[in-house]
């Protein structure tokens, strides 16, 4: 059983569960405002430099899970395909293209924003967004689109699945009570990326 499942991390598929997904034949299109639009296979992703982010996925529904997310930095990926100077936003497109979301390029280029294919050294299964998902610890979890088939560079933001249903496009993490999935305790967080809980600071 995977670590995420052992900890009983919630599994969200607002558009419906896709069923089992295989790395075999999986591709991610890198398109839009890039110099070299590219179709990456799962093996192509594995061949790019691997980064580990020890960080939290934090849901607007007020839970947060910490682990070592492994994958390719979006910054490294975009250096690989070349950015157009007009690009300002990165759109993530999930399997079947019903679930999409956009983040500002500036956030996408931060060091812990990944296309993640591992959690604590284990491959992500499809429940948790395998073969590969967006992972962005700086913003609410609805920006971390699962089971990615596309990454599109844009010169504007396009409201995605949850944004058209009322979740804020800026997805700033707000202070308050939060279920820590790792310890099964409710704790308080400050505004912004969850790095420490207020009751463990200082
Ligand atoms: N395709 C897809 N990606 C998604 C979602 C979804 O419903 N569908 N939910 C988002 C939300 S709101 C959160 S908090 C995280 C939850 O990730 P998990 O289901 O792996 O725990 O995935 C995000 N990515
Ligand atoms: Mo969420």
């Amino acid at each position: 059983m995977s670590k995420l499942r052992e900890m009983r991390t919630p599994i969200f598929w607002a558009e419906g569960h896709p069923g089992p997904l295989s790395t075999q034949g999986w591709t991610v299109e890198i398109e839009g405002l890039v110099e070299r639009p590219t179709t990456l296979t799962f093996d192509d992703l594995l061949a790019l430099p691997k980064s580990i982010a020890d960080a939290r996925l934090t849901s607007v529904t007020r839970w947060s899970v910490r682990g070592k997310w492994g994958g390719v930095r979006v910054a490294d990926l975009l250096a690989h395909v070349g950015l157009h100077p007009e690009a300002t936003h990165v759109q993530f497109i999930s399997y079947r293209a019903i679930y999409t979301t956009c983040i500002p390029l500036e956030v996408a280029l931060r060091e812990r924003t990944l296309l993640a294919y591992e959690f604590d050294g284990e491959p992500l299964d499809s429940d948790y967004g395998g073969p590969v998902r967006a992972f962005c610890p700086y913003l609410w979890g609805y920006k971390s689109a699962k089971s990615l088939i596309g990454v599109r560079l844009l010169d504007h933001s396009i409201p995605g699945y949850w944004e058209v249903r009322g979740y804020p496009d800026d997805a700033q993490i707000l202070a308050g009570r939060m279920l820590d999935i790792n310890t099964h305790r409710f704790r308080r967080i400050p505004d912004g990326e969850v790095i420490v809980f207020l009751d463990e600071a200082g």
Side-chain angles (χ1 to χ4, degrees):
M1 204 195 280
S2 77
K3 273 290 278 296
L4 283 166
R5 195 180 312 279
E6 260 170 48
M7 293 190 285
R8 282 175 281 137
T9 309
I11 296 166
F12 288 166
W13 282 105
E15 74 273 46
H17 197 291
L21 301 174
S22 169
T23 58
Q24 208 55 34
W26 193 264
T27 59
V28 184
E29 301 277 342
I30 316 299
E31 57 193 348
L33 298 172
V34 293
E35 272 159 21
R36 291 173 297 282
T38 305
T39 303
L40 295 172
T41 65
F42 191 71
D43 285 343
D44 293 335
L45 278 169
L46 293 184
L48 287 167
K50 179 175 173 178
S51 296
I52 308 278
D54 181 354
R56 286 182 168 276
L57 175 67
T58 301
S59 177
V60 68
T61 60
R62 304 215 77 92
W63 56 263
S64 178
V65 66
R66 177 182 179 176
K68 294 188 173 67
W69 299 84
V72 179
R73 276 191 190 127
V74 173
D76 290 342
L77 180 77
L78 295 180
H80 177 71
V81 298
L83 263 179
H84 273 209
E86 316 86 74
T88 58
H89 288 80
V90 178
Q91 184 185 39
F92 297 122
I93 303 162
S94 290
Y95 182 61
R96 295 170 295 177
I98 303 164
Y99 194 101
T100 68
T101 193
C102 264
I103 65 174
L105 180 60
E106 172 270 312
V107 180
L109 293 175
R110 294 186 198 168
E111 69 168 353
R112 289 194 297 276
T113 305
L114 306 179
L115 299 199
Y117 48 74
E118 280 180 8
F119 181 87
D120 280 357
E122 299 170 334
L124 290 177
D125 62 52
S126 46
D127 283 350
Y128 292 108
V132 58
R133 71 179 295 165
F135 173 68
C136 182
Y138 310 103
L139 303 174
W140 286 129
Y142 57 87
K143 296 295 185 179
S144 293
K146 306 204 289 188
S147 302
L148 282 186
I149 58 166
V151 175
R152 185 178 295 149
L153 276 290
L154 302 168
D155 62 5
H156 59 286
S157 181
I158 297 179
Y161 187 93
W162 280 121
E163 293 84 358
V164 301
R165 290 165 176 80
Y167 283 178
D169 191 39
D170 70 7
Q172 292 298 310
I173 296 173
L174 299 177
R177 253 162 66 90
M178 179 69 66
L179 176 64
D180 177 17
I181 296 291
N182 299 73
T183 62
H184 297 284
R185 286 173 55 201
F186 281 93
R187 321 186 71 171
R188 285 185 315 113
I189 60 157
D191 287 337
E193 181 186 357
V194 183
I195 294 173
V196 289
F197 290 94
L198 290 174
D199 51 356
E200 68 186 18

